[in-house]
Amino acid sequence: MCRVAGAPPRILPPLALMLLAALQQAPIKATCEDMSCKTGFPEDVHSAVVSRSVHGGQPLLNVRFRSCDGNKKIHFGSSEPEDFRVGEDGVVYAERSFQLSAEPTEFVVSAQDKETQEEWQMRVKLTPEPAFAGASEKDQKKIEDIIFPWQQYKHSSPLKRQKRDWVIPPINLPENSRGPFPQELVRIRSDRDKSLSLRYSVTGPGADQPPTGIFIINPISGQLSVTKPLDREQIASFHLRAHAVDVNGNQVENPIDIVINVIDMNDNRPEFLHQVWNGTVPEGSKPGTYVMTVTAIDADDPNAQNGMLRYRILSQAPSSPSPNMFTINNETGDIITVAAGLDREKVQQYTLIIQATDMEGNPTYGLSNTATAVITVTDVNDNPPEFTAMTFYGEVPENRVDVIVANLTVTDKDQPHTPAWNAMYRMTGGDPTGRFTILTDPNSNDGLVTVVKPIDFETNRMFVLTVAAENQVPLAKGIQHPPQSTATVSITVIDVNESPYFVPNPKLVRQEEGLLAGSMLTTFTAQDPDRYMQQTSLRYSKLSDPANWLKIDPVNGQITTTAVLDRESIYVQNNMYNATFLASDNGIPPMSGTGTLQIYLLDINDNAPQVNPKEATTCETLQPNAINITAVDPDIDPNAGPFAFELPDTPASIKRNWTIVRISGDHAQLSLRIRFLEAGIYDVPIVITDSGNPHASSTSVLKVKVCQCDINGDCTDVDRIVGAGLGTGAIIAILLCIIILLILVLMFVVWMKRRDKERQAKQLLIDPEDDVRDNILKYDEEGGGEEDQDYDLSQLQQPDTVEPDAIKPVGIRRLDERPIHAEPQYPVRSAAPHPGDIGDFINEGLKAADNDPTAPPYDSLLVFDYEGSGSTAGSLSSLNSSSSGGEQDYDYLNDWGPRFKKLADMYGGGDD
């Protein structure tokens, strides 16, 4: 105990009991205030025992500072501000969450007077509490009392002295407790409960804040209890605040903070992040090569043994070449190789069973779980390609390209279709001219020897190539190519019948034009490259001769002309004429070759110049009346220009009316010599001579139209059609033809109209009601269809020739028949003709039809289909020709006109 002057003795909190309830919490040293007042910390070193796990914002301890003058304003600071913070009330808080090491953690707490800047310091040493090993049942039943800090007043003096608050060490409570619940933790009380009736309460998460109801307090006794098991994996600690008030709700004591830490229990197994882990390692890797990392997590406290995992390999499959090819770092989960001998060609994949155990791998108390690690051995180029034979053979016909002549096969034990397996071929000898290349088949990895340049049998009959095979990537270090990676390819060239070829091709011949038909031009022969084949001489023929000027001798290839060579022909381009000839042999199969003969034709002066244009227009007067003309000569220099232009002497009117002046080598100007020339069309002959040797001249007629002109020199005549070369007589003839054609068309139209009027007049003479023919044509026949149109008229002439009923197929009827009763027997006409037979036959047939219940109700041979009921017309069935013919009055037929006169005489003449 310690006493304060003027106050009754106070009992310090029983720290031993509180620490025992807090699971062997080390005692916090505290000292009483010295009665002699000295400003500063009461001690130089302050030691405290706290939990190993520190959370950000967690209060750790309370540093005591003595101030003799209560008015001093003290500011507290820490030498480790990133880890610890000191409040204005002297409570030290953790700035962040961290784990205390096994060694004590030290830092300095300073206090500074804000007015005088005087400073005091104290060293704080934090020691982590020992690991929780579990309290005995007897110790757990001990309930600690937590007493609110007290404050004292000197009633005789205005000086107020206050004892600083105690920092309550955290309460450690194991998770998953089995109870019974509620389980008492501590009792909170105030030393003023002897004089006052107090009520206690707690606030904070777990009490009155979610999750609510985990902690409760007896408001009278202050007993704090937990109501159910706790789970550290959900909430690791609870921060509560205890309150003490009187019955009126007035605060009696300052609230105190209570921290309840949930102690971890090993209630969670390790869980691998993946149940199957996949990794790779190159074959031939050295021991210690990293392969992969497997990771497991444990929901328990990772800083305690419950959450500390250890890994190990349970099994390896297959176990060759060694059962322990891999090892694992028991803390990190890194898998590395531990033995040499990884060979993909022998074992391509390993399967490891990995176990993770908590409690630092303790097999007795730790919980375990397993996962599978699949390690694939990747391929490296440790096997060179090897040819399956030392020599390969092939053959190729001469002059063939892009032909595969040999397949080179290799074997490679590396993984197919990888750079370590894919083969590349190169020729190391035997092909100096580059006639072959070797391609790689991507599927089979074979080498395809291919001809890329034509081969001549007469030059090379056989090739012996040396080839080497290698992979796309270099071989692994320390591996060399064996002799099997080199082979020889023997290729035989096959002789074939080759096409003859002309020499030279094309062949150029220079020849003056005008060479007469039948003249020998040149000899154009070909050669046969097949020197080792038995063949007869070549045969020649003409393949292309556009102007048909040439022929070739089929035996010796001599070319002669069949027409005169003309440089000005349309088949000659740039003085060059091309003809193509064919040379053929008699080999198997026959072959042929073509050659082109180019004839360069030299020009001779065989064409006289002509005037251009052929027609021109000028005015009647002298000004303006100049006509520009040009001389055109198909020949070329020196047989063309410059040209000489002149007018002929006859007729004399030409030179009298016209004059011509040369203005350049190819151009001249024709104009009127007289002042006025009557309008019309005039033929002006012009003599043009070229510069050839000898000269060639011609007289060209220029048709000139002389017309009246305006001030601009343009013709104003209306009859411009004359300028096209048509005379007045031709124009009149054309107009007469047009007029005659119009008259004929008009006469035809008048005749058609008159014919229509006559037709209409004839139709008006006949009453439409009396025109029985038109009435009959106006209506369509409404028969029963095609089956009713098949009449057999022979029944009226020779009924006995009709097939008897016995022959009639059974069941073949008209569609409108209703065979209810047996068919009646119709009369059969005798074969002997008689004038009365027809009438009797018809009457008997009508009687039989009237008595036939299966016959349709029709009285004529033309059968009509039934078209519904309700017709306003009478039924044809009402006509009874067999019995009521004599009762009819046919006199009205006389009123129907001349067309019904015959019927009127037959039926309207009385009994006769």
Side-chain angles (χ1 to χ4, degrees), residues 502 519-526 537-543 549-562 580-584 597:
F502 285 86
S519 302
M520 199 278 289
L521 182 62
T522 185
T523 299
F524 197 21
T525 58
S537 59
L538 301 177
R539 305 287 294 181
Y540 300 96
S541 61
K542 185 173 65 174
L543 186 62
W549 287 345
L550 308 173
K551 70 175 181 178
I552 188 170
D553 188 279
V555 177
N556 56 24
Q558 189 178 66
I559 298 176
T560 57
T561 60
T562 58
T580 306
F581 297 92
L582 186 69
S584 304
L597 178 65

Short mmCIF file of all heavy atoms in Angstrom, two decimals, residues 502 519-526 537-543 549-562 580-584 597:
data_model
loop_
_atom_site.label_atom_id
_atom_site.label_comp_id
_atom_site.label_asym_id
_atom_site.label_seq_id
_atom_site.Cartn_x
_atom_site.Cartn_y
_atom_site.Cartn_z
N PHE A 502 16.36 -23.72 -133.36
CA PHE A 502 16.92 -22.98 -134.49
C PHE A 502 18.12 -22.19 -134.02
O PHE A 502 18.15 -21.67 -132.89
CB PHE A 502 15.88 -22.04 -135.09
CG PHE A 502 14.84 -22.75 -135.92
CD1 PHE A 502 13.70 -23.28 -135.34
CD2 PHE A 502 15.00 -22.88 -137.30
CE1 PHE A 502 12.75 -23.92 -136.10
CE2 PHE A 502 14.04 -23.52 -138.06
CZ PHE A 502 12.91 -24.05 -137.46
N SER A 519 11.91 -15.78 -155.48
CA SER A 519 13.31 -15.50 -155.19
C SER A 519 13.71 -16.19 -153.90
O SER A 519 12.94 -16.28 -152.93
CB SER A 519 13.53 -13.99 -155.07
OG SER A 519 13.14 -13.34 -156.26
N MET A 520 14.97 -16.70 -153.84
CA MET A 520 15.47 -17.33 -152.64
C MET A 520 15.90 -16.24 -151.65
O MET A 520 16.68 -15.36 -151.99
CB MET A 520 16.66 -18.23 -152.98
CG MET A 520 16.95 -19.29 -151.88
SD MET A 520 17.93 -18.67 -150.49
CE MET A 520 19.53 -18.49 -151.27
N LEU A 521 15.38 -16.36 -150.41
CA LEU A 521 15.63 -15.31 -149.41
C LEU A 521 16.78 -15.71 -148.49
O LEU A 521 17.76 -14.98 -148.36
CB LEU A 521 14.36 -15.05 -148.60
CG LEU A 521 14.46 -13.95 -147.55
CD1 LEU A 521 14.77 -12.61 -148.19
CD2 LEU A 521 13.14 -13.85 -146.76
N THR A 522 16.68 -16.86 -147.83
CA THR A 522 17.71 -17.31 -146.91
C THR A 522 17.46 -18.78 -146.58
O THR A 522 16.47 -19.37 -147.05
CB THR A 522 17.70 -16.47 -145.61
OG1 THR A 522 18.80 -16.87 -144.78
CG2 THR A 522 16.42 -16.67 -144.85
N THR A 523 18.35 -19.34 -145.77
CA THR A 523 18.18 -20.70 -145.27
C THR A 523 18.09 -20.64 -143.75
O THR A 523 18.98 -20.06 -143.10
CB THR A 523 19.34 -21.60 -145.70
OG1 THR A 523 19.39 -21.65 -147.13
CG2 THR A 523 19.16 -23.01 -145.16
N PHE A 524 17.05 -21.25 -143.19
CA PHE A 524 16.78 -21.21 -141.75
C PHE A 524 16.66 -22.65 -141.25
O PHE A 524 15.67 -23.34 -141.53
CB PHE A 524 15.49 -20.43 -141.49
CG PHE A 524 15.33 -19.98 -140.06
CD1 PHE A 524 16.42 -19.87 -139.21
CD2 PHE A 524 14.08 -19.66 -139.54
CE1 PHE A 524 16.26 -19.44 -137.92
CE2 PHE A 524 13.92 -19.23 -138.25
CZ PHE A 524 15.01 -19.12 -137.43
N THR A 525 17.72 -23.14 -140.57
CA THR A 525 17.76 -24.54 -140.15
C THR A 525 17.84 -24.64 -138.63
O THR A 525 18.21 -23.68 -137.93
CB THR A 525 18.96 -25.26 -140.77
OG1 THR A 525 20.17 -24.59 -140.38
CG2 THR A 525 18.85 -25.28 -142.28
N ALA A 526 17.51 -25.83 -138.12
CA ALA A 526 17.51 -26.12 -136.68
C ALA A 526 18.46 -27.27 -136.39
O ALA A 526 18.89 -27.99 -137.29
CB ALA A 526 16.11 -26.45 -136.20
N SER A 537 16.42 -37.07 -140.19
CA SER A 537 16.63 -35.63 -140.28
C SER A 537 15.35 -34.89 -139.91
O SER A 537 14.25 -35.45 -139.89
CB SER A 537 17.05 -35.24 -141.70
OG SER A 537 16.04 -35.64 -142.62
N LEU A 538 15.52 -33.62 -139.62
CA LEU A 538 14.41 -32.78 -139.21
C LEU A 538 13.56 -32.37 -140.41
O LEU A 538 14.04 -32.31 -141.55
CB LEU A 538 14.94 -31.53 -138.49
CG LEU A 538 15.79 -31.78 -137.24
CD1 LEU A 538 16.30 -30.47 -136.68
CD2 LEU A 538 14.99 -32.55 -136.20
N ARG A 539 12.30 -32.06 -140.13
CA ARG A 539 11.38 -31.58 -141.16
C ARG A 539 10.93 -30.18 -140.75
O ARG A 539 10.70 -29.89 -139.58
CB ARG A 539 10.16 -32.49 -141.27
CG ARG A 539 10.48 -33.94 -141.52
CD ARG A 539 10.96 -34.15 -142.96
NE ARG A 539 9.91 -33.89 -143.91
CZ ARG A 539 10.03 -34.01 -145.23
NH1 ARG A 539 11.21 -34.39 -145.73
NH2 ARG A 539 9.02 -33.75 -146.04
N TYR A 540 10.83 -29.30 -141.81
CA TYR A 540 10.50 -27.90 -141.55
C TYR A 540 9.13 -27.59 -142.13
O TYR A 540 8.72 -28.15 -143.15
CB TYR A 540 11.56 -26.98 -142.19
CG TYR A 540 12.96 -27.23 -141.65
CD1 TYR A 540 13.85 -28.07 -142.32
CD2 TYR A 540 13.38 -26.63 -140.48
CE1 TYR A 540 15.13 -28.30 -141.83
CE2 TYR A 540 14.66 -26.85 -139.98
CZ TYR A 540 15.52 -27.68 -140.66
OH TYR A 540 16.78 -27.91 -140.19
N SER A 541 8.47 -26.67 -141.48
CA SER A 541 7.16 -26.21 -141.95
C SER A 541 6.96 -24.77 -141.48
O SER A 541 7.64 -24.29 -140.57
CB SER A 541 6.02 -27.10 -141.43
OG SER A 541 5.98 -27.07 -140.00
N LYS A 542 6.00 -24.11 -142.15
CA LYS A 542 5.71 -22.72 -141.82
C LYS A 542 4.61 -22.68 -140.76
O LYS A 542 3.58 -23.33 -140.89
CB LYS A 542 5.30 -21.95 -143.07
CG LYS A 542 5.08 -20.47 -142.84
CD LYS A 542 4.85 -19.74 -144.15
CE LYS A 542 3.56 -20.19 -144.81
NZ LYS A 542 3.23 -19.39 -146.01
N LEU A 543 4.87 -21.90 -139.72
CA LEU A 543 3.91 -21.80 -138.62
C LEU A 543 3.13 -20.48 -138.67
O LEU A 543 1.92 -20.47 -138.45
CB LEU A 543 4.63 -21.93 -137.27
CG LEU A 543 3.74 -21.99 -136.03
CD1 LEU A 543 2.84 -23.22 -136.08
CD2 LEU A 543 4.60 -22.01 -134.76
N TRP A 549 3.94 -14.36 -147.64
CA TRP A 549 4.98 -14.00 -148.61
C TRP A 549 6.02 -15.11 -148.78
O TRP A 549 6.78 -15.08 -149.73
CB TRP A 549 5.72 -12.74 -148.13
CG TRP A 549 4.90 -11.47 -148.26
CD1 TRP A 549 3.77 -11.30 -148.99
CD2 TRP A 549 5.18 -10.21 -147.65
NE1 TRP A 549 3.31 -10.03 -148.88
CE2 TRP A 549 4.15 -9.32 -148.06
CE3 TRP A 549 6.18 -9.75 -146.81
CZ2 TRP A 549 4.12 -7.99 -147.65
CZ3 TRP A 549 6.16 -8.42 -146.42
CH2 TRP A 549 5.13 -7.54 -146.81
N LEU A 550 6.10 -16.08 -147.83
CA LEU A 550 7.24 -16.99 -147.79
C LEU A 550 6.79 -18.44 -147.83
O LEU A 550 5.64 -18.76 -147.53
CB LEU A 550 8.07 -16.74 -146.51
CG LEU A 550 8.50 -15.29 -146.23
CD1 LEU A 550 9.15 -15.20 -144.87
CD2 LEU A 550 9.43 -14.79 -147.33
N LYS A 551 7.73 -19.30 -148.18
CA LYS A 551 7.59 -20.74 -148.05
C LYS A 551 8.96 -21.32 -147.71
O LYS A 551 9.99 -20.71 -148.02
CB LYS A 551 7.02 -21.38 -149.32
CG LYS A 551 7.97 -21.36 -150.50
CD LYS A 551 7.36 -22.12 -151.69
CE LYS A 551 8.33 -22.12 -152.88
NZ LYS A 551 7.77 -22.88 -154.03
N ILE A 552 9.00 -22.50 -147.03
CA ILE A 552 10.23 -23.12 -146.60
C ILE A 552 10.32 -24.53 -147.14
O ILE A 552 9.30 -25.25 -147.19
CB ILE A 552 10.35 -23.10 -145.05
CG1 ILE A 552 11.73 -23.58 -144.60
CG2 ILE A 552 9.23 -23.88 -144.41
CD1 ILE A 552 11.98 -23.36 -143.11
N ASP A 553 11.50 -24.91 -147.54
CA ASP A 553 11.72 -26.28 -148.02
C ASP A 553 11.70 -27.22 -146.81
O ASP A 553 12.41 -26.99 -145.83
CB ASP A 553 13.06 -26.36 -148.75
CG ASP A 553 13.23 -27.73 -149.42
OD1 ASP A 553 13.61 -28.68 -148.70
OD2 ASP A 553 13.01 -27.81 -150.62
N PRO A 554 10.87 -28.27 -146.79
CA PRO A 554 10.74 -29.13 -145.61
C PRO A 554 12.00 -29.92 -145.29
O PRO A 554 12.12 -30.45 -144.18
CB PRO A 554 9.58 -30.06 -145.98
CG PRO A 554 9.53 -30.06 -147.46
CD PRO A 554 9.98 -28.70 -147.90
N VAL A 555 12.94 -30.00 -146.20
CA VAL A 555 14.13 -30.83 -145.96
C VAL A 555 15.33 -29.98 -145.60
O VAL A 555 15.97 -30.19 -144.56
CB VAL A 555 14.44 -31.71 -147.20
CG1 VAL A 555 15.71 -32.51 -146.98
CG2 VAL A 555 13.26 -32.62 -147.49
N ASN A 556 15.64 -28.98 -146.42
CA ASN A 556 16.85 -28.21 -146.18
C ASN A 556 16.61 -26.86 -145.53
O ASN A 556 17.55 -26.13 -145.25
CB ASN A 556 17.64 -28.02 -147.48
CG ASN A 556 16.77 -27.36 -148.55
OD1 ASN A 556 15.79 -26.67 -148.26
ND2 ASN A 556 17.13 -27.58 -149.81
N GLY A 557 15.35 -26.45 -145.33
CA GLY A 557 15.04 -25.21 -144.65
C GLY A 557 15.28 -23.98 -145.47
O GLY A 557 15.41 -22.87 -144.92
N GLN A 558 15.33 -24.12 -146.83
CA GLN A 558 15.54 -22.95 -147.68
C GLN A 558 14.23 -22.18 -147.82
O GLN A 558 13.18 -22.77 -148.10
CB GLN A 558 16.05 -23.39 -149.05
CG GLN A 558 16.51 -22.26 -149.93
CD GLN A 558 17.06 -22.75 -151.25
OE1 GLN A 558 16.32 -23.31 -152.08
NE2 GLN A 558 18.37 -22.59 -151.45
N ILE A 559 14.30 -20.84 -147.64
CA ILE A 559 13.10 -20.00 -147.64
C ILE A 559 13.12 -19.18 -148.92
O ILE A 559 14.11 -18.50 -149.23
CB ILE A 559 13.07 -19.08 -146.40
CG1 ILE A 559 13.01 -19.91 -145.12
CG2 ILE A 559 11.89 -18.12 -146.47
CD1 ILE A 559 13.06 -19.10 -143.86
N THR A 560 11.99 -19.25 -149.65
CA THR A 560 11.81 -18.48 -150.88
C THR A 560 10.55 -17.67 -150.76
O THR A 560 9.67 -17.94 -149.94
CB THR A 560 11.74 -19.41 -152.11
OG1 THR A 560 10.67 -20.34 -151.90
CG2 THR A 560 13.05 -20.17 -152.28
N THR A 561 10.44 -16.64 -151.64
CA THR A 561 9.28 -15.74 -151.61
C THR A 561 8.18 -16.28 -152.49
O THR A 561 8.44 -16.92 -153.52
CB THR A 561 9.67 -14.33 -152.05
OG1 THR A 561 10.17 -14.38 -153.39
CG2 THR A 561 10.75 -13.77 -151.13
N THR A 562 6.97 -16.02 -152.10
CA THR A 562 5.80 -16.38 -152.90
C THR A 562 5.06 -15.15 -153.37
O THR A 562 4.08 -15.25 -154.11
CB THR A 562 4.84 -17.26 -152.09
OG1 THR A 562 4.44 -16.54 -150.91
CG2 THR A 562 5.51 -18.56 -151.69
N THR A 580 7.30 -17.14 -138.50
CA THR A 580 7.68 -18.21 -137.57
C THR A 580 7.65 -19.55 -138.30
O THR A 580 6.69 -19.84 -139.03
CB THR A 580 6.74 -18.25 -136.36
OG1 THR A 580 6.70 -16.95 -135.76
CG2 THR A 580 7.22 -19.25 -135.33
N PHE A 581 8.69 -20.37 -138.06
CA PHE A 581 8.80 -21.67 -138.71
C PHE A 581 8.96 -22.74 -137.65
O PHE A 581 9.40 -22.48 -136.51
CB PHE A 581 10.00 -21.67 -139.68
CG PHE A 581 9.84 -20.68 -140.80
CD1 PHE A 581 10.35 -19.39 -140.67
CD2 PHE A 581 9.17 -21.02 -141.96
CE1 PHE A 581 10.20 -18.47 -141.69
CE2 PHE A 581 9.01 -20.10 -142.98
CZ PHE A 581 9.53 -18.82 -142.85
N LEU A 582 8.63 -23.98 -138.05
CA LEU A 582 8.59 -25.11 -137.13
C LEU A 582 9.53 -26.19 -137.63
O LEU A 582 9.52 -26.53 -138.83
CB LEU A 582 7.17 -25.65 -137.02
CG LEU A 582 6.91 -26.74 -135.99
CD1 LEU A 582 7.02 -26.18 -134.58
CD2 LEU A 582 5.52 -27.36 -136.20
N ALA A 583 10.35 -26.73 -136.69
CA ALA A 583 11.22 -27.87 -137.00
C ALA A 583 10.78 -29.04 -136.14
O ALA A 583 10.66 -28.90 -134.91
CB ALA A 583 12.68 -27.52 -136.73
N SER A 584 10.54 -30.23 -136.72
CA SER A 584 10.02 -31.40 -136.02
C SER A 584 10.92 -32.59 -136.26
O SER A 584 11.49 -32.75 -137.35
CB SER A 584 8.59 -31.72 -136.49
OG SER A 584 7.74 -30.60 -136.32
N LEU A 597 11.96 -15.76 -138.02
CA LEU A 597 12.75 -15.09 -139.04
C LEU A 597 12.30 -13.64 -139.10
O LEU A 597 11.12 -13.36 -139.33
CB LEU A 597 12.56 -15.77 -140.40
CG LEU A 597 13.31 -15.12 -141.58
CD1 LEU A 597 14.81 -15.23 -141.38
CD2 LEU A 597 12.88 -15.76 -142.90
#
